[in-house]
């Protein structure tokens, strides 16, 4: 009962518009003052949490993504994707999903993926005869892949919070991410096969056209292969992979595309620092909040309650997925990870739940939150770039919520979809 009161009070505080980091820090500090009469060594606790080598990967991956965005690499990616899919029913929608999948492996951000691909894809899809709401839904859903397909800031923070291997989490996200993209593409093809929609289709590309398109985007395609391949082969860690990715992104945009200058690099660095500072401030606030919960023995109480209920691992995961789905309608994904994980981690350990598997289930659930009103960030991103009616964007995205629930169910029923690649990696 106490934990419900604490969480409800925190949510009520956040709904007032207080920044998440401030709400977590102030509320955690107030609770700590009530529990022990002083703030103790909060500064040391925050420093200890933030003084982690793994966290360096966040600004580096963000820097890499912004370099590729400012270098306008996405235009070639989108053209290449469409060349390979233009003969299919809904070929442009499939190309949009494919471009989102590839760009997700570069940006690590759902919002950046939806914003960048959407700016190119939505006008083109409408020009080809797609209903506007269909175009909005494809981009909004495709953009969510940015936090599942590695690199992913939520997966990094989840790994830091749970002490799970970030490399294993990255590899674990590959198959579920590709599975979700495949489900999206099948739905788009099925939906667009209806002749009544009168959606334009182009002729199948020749072998020469396919090869030319592939050659044009080979450097952009090499970036995710280089980063993930290096981690998979054990050449470098997640943090080293981020640094190597930055150097490759600079090489591609400066020397191959010649589309970026010193000013763009400086702007990319500032934007990456701004994003990272926001995440680290939220992490600091969550550290204070998690510390006071531990002081109040709330995680232990949750474990004892679950043992008494005897829900088992399956029941526990179902309860948590339902809770996160509700929280996702109102809170940002990073906040959900940092608020819930310190509380439930002891219960997960007690029930023997694989943290890698749970992490992927969690992120898929957070992807659903990205296109679920009232606070679905990808919905507002589409609104920002199109100025479309918000209800139309929600209607276009609604079928993809069901498709993502299907993907969540498949990973839940078949854990090896998430665990096979990490287990293969660890065995080498």
């Amino acid at each position: 009962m106490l934990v419900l009161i604490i969480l409800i009070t925190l949510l009520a505080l956040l709904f007032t518009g207080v920044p998440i980091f401030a709400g977590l820090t102030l509320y955690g500090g107030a609770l700590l003052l009530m529990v022990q009469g002083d703030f103790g060594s909060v500064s040391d606790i925050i420093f200890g949490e933030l003084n982690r080598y793994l966290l360096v990967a966040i600004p580096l991956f963000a820097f890499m993504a912004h370099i590729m965005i400012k270098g306008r690499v996405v235009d070639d990616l989108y053209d290449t994707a469409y060349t390979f899919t233009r003969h299919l029913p809904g070929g442009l929608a499939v190309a949009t999903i494919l471009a989102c999948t590839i760009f997700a492996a570069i940006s690590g951000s759902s919002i950046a993926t939806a914003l960048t691909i959407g700016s190119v894809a939505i006008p083109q899809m409408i020009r080809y005869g797609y209903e506007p709401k269909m175009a909005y839904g494809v981009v909004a859903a495709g953009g969510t892949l940015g936090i599942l397909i590695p690199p992913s800031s939520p997966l990094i923070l989840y790994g830091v919070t749970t002490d799970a291997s970030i490399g294993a989490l990255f590899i674990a996200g590959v198959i579920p991410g590709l599975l979700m993209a495949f489900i999206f593409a099948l739905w788009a093809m099925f939906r667009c096969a209806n002749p009544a929609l009168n959606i334009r289709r182009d002729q199948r590309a020749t072998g020469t056209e396919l090869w030319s398109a592939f050659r044009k985007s080979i450097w952009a395609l090499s970036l995710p292969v280089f980063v993930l391949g290096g981690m998979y082969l054990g050449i470098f860690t997640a943090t080293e992979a981020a640094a190597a990715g930055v150097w490759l992104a600079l090489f591609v945009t400066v020397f191959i595309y010649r589309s970026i200058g010193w000013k763009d690099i400086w702007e990319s660095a500032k934007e990456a620092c701004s994003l990272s500072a926001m995440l680290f401030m939220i992490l600091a606030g969550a550290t204070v909040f998690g510390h006071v919960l531990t002081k109040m023995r709330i995680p232990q109480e949750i474990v004892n309650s679950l043992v008494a209920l005897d829900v088992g691992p399956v029941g526990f995961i179902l309860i948590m997925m339902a809770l996160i789905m509700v929280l996702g309608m109102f809170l940002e994904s990073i906040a959900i990870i940092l608020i819930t994980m310190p509380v439930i981690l002891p219960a997960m350990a007690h029930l023997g739940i694989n943290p890698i598997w749970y992490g992927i289930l969690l992120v898929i659930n957070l992807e659903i939150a990205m296109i679920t009103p009232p606070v679905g960030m990808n919905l507002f991103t589409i609104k920002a770039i199109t100025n479309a009616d918000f209800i139309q964007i929600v209607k276009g995205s609604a079928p993809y919520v069901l498709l993502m629930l299907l993907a969540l169910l498949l990973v839940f029923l078949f854990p090896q979809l998430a665990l096979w690649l990490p287990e293969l990696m660890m065995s080498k």
Side-chain angles (χ1 to χ4, degrees):
M1 187 64 183
L2 179 60
V3 68
L4 284 176
I5 295 172
I6 290 174
L7 290 177
I8 289 171
T9 307
L10 174 61
L11 291 175
L13 176 62
L14 295 178
F15 288 157
T16 64
V18 174
I20 293 172
F21 81 89
L24 287 169
T25 306
L26 293 173
Y27 187 47
L31 288 175
L32 191 60
L33 196 60
M34 290 169 56
V35 170
Q36 64 181 30
D38 57 52
F39 294 111
S41 55
V42 167
S43 58
D44 292 335
I45 294 166
I46 293 175
F47 179 79
E49 185 67 26
L50 295 180
N51 187 29
R52 297 194 187 204
Y53 176 66
L54 287 171
L55 288 175
V56 178
I58 291 178
L60 288 174
F61 275 129
F63 188 30
M64 179 185 76
H66 283 295
I67 289 169
M68 297 297 277
I69 291 170
K70 287 189 179 296
R72 296 185 295 279
V73 176
V74 70
D75 294 343
D76 282 350
L77 285 176
Y78 190 69
D79 290 343
T80 298
Y82 183 60
T83 302
F84 276 80
T85 63
R86 69 190 190 191
H87 61 285
L88 299 172
L92 202 56
V94 176
T96 300
I97 294 164
L98 180 57
C100 285
T101 305
I102 298 170
F103 194 75
I106 295 173
S107 71
S109 165
S110 288
I111 295 173
T113 302
L115 179 65
T116 308
I117 302 297
S119 300
V120 179
I122 290 175
Q124 186 79 340
M125 291 178 70
I126 294 174
R127 195 178 304 123
Y128 268 57
Y130 290 77
E131 292 180 344
K133 68 177 182 180
M134 186 187 299
Y136 306 150
V138 167
V139 174
T144 65
L145 297 169
I147 61 171
L148 180 59
I149 295 176
S152 162
S153 296
L155 283 177
I156 293 174
L157 286 180
Y158 174 84
V160 169
T161 306
T162 61
D163 283 329
S165 165
I166 292 175
L169 285 166
F170 276 7
I171 299 300
V174 172
I175 292 179
L178 295 178
L179 172 66
M180 192 176 297
F182 180 69
I183 292 172
F184 289 170
L186 282 182
W187 168 253
M189 291 170 62
F190 170 77
R191 181 79 177 81
C192 297
N194 185 354
L197 294 177
N198 196 29
I199 294 174
R200 173 181 158 187
R201 287 170 63 179
D202 289 334
Q203 291 184 337
R204 182 189 295 270
T206 65
T208 302
E209 289 175 316
L210 292 174
W211 175 243
S212 176
F214 178 74
R215 279 178 47 190
K216 189 165 66 171
S217 61
I218 186 67
W219 284 103
L221 294 171
S222 69
L223 187 60
V225 174
F226 175 73
V227 170
L228 292 179
M231 286 191 292
Y232 179 80
L233 296 173
I235 298 173
F236 33 61
T237 65
T239 306
E240 292 165 348
V246 169
W247 282 112
L248 182 57
L250 285 170
F251 176 78
V252 170
T253 53
V254 173
F255 295 105
I256 306 299
Y257 279 78
R258 298 182 180 178
S259 57
I260 195 170
W262 284 112
K263 182 180 178 182
D264 297 313
I265 295 173
W266 175 249
E267 289 296 323
S268 297
K270 285 202 301 183
E271 289 170 11
C273 289
S274 177
L275 173 65
S276 303
M278 177 192 71
L279 293 178
F280 291 159
M281 288 173 75
I282 295 174
L283 180 56
T287 299
V288 175
F289 185 65
H291 174 69
V292 72
L293 291 182
T294 304
K295 278 274 186 184
M296 298 171 72
R297 297 185 57 80
I298 285 177
Q300 291 87 336
E301 292 297 325
I302 290 176
V303 172
N304 294 336
S305 299
L306 288 170
V307 170
L309 288 173
D310 195 27
V311 294
V314 172
F316 174 82
I317 291 176
L318 291 176
I319 291 170
M320 286 308 304
M321 291 299 106
L323 173 62
I324 289 165
M325 199 163 294
V326 174
L327 290 176
M329 295 180 182
F330 305 100
L331 292 178
E332 200 271 338
S333 58
I334 299 299
I336 294 173
I337 292 172
L338 296 177
I339 289 171
T340 61
M341 288 316 302
V343 180
I344 69 166
L345 194 57
M348 285 175 55
H350 176 80
L351 294 169
I353 295 171
N354 188 307
I356 303 296
W357 176 47
Y358 181 84
I360 300 304
L361 292 172
L362 171 62
V363 171
I364 294 174
N365 207 329
L366 296 177
E367 286 186 295
I368 297 172
M370 299 294 294
I371 57 172
T372 307
V375 193
M377 292 306 298
N378 277 19
L379 302 179
F380 289 104
T381 301
I382 303 302
K383 172 73 174 174
I385 62 178
T386 63
N387 200 29
D389 180 58
F390 188 72
I391 298 300
Q392 290 298 307
I393 299 172
V394 172
K395 286 181 177 178
S397 303
Y400 292 93
V401 173
L402 299 177
L403 296 175
M404 293 165 84
L405 286 171
L406 172 62
L408 180 65
L409 178 63
L410 288 173
V411 177
F412 174 72
L413 294 176
F414 305 102
Q416 286 303 112
L417 287 171
L419 299 178
W420 176 69
L421 267 184
E423 289 173 355
L424 182 65
M425 178 186 71
M426 297 302 179
S427 68
K428 291 192 174 184

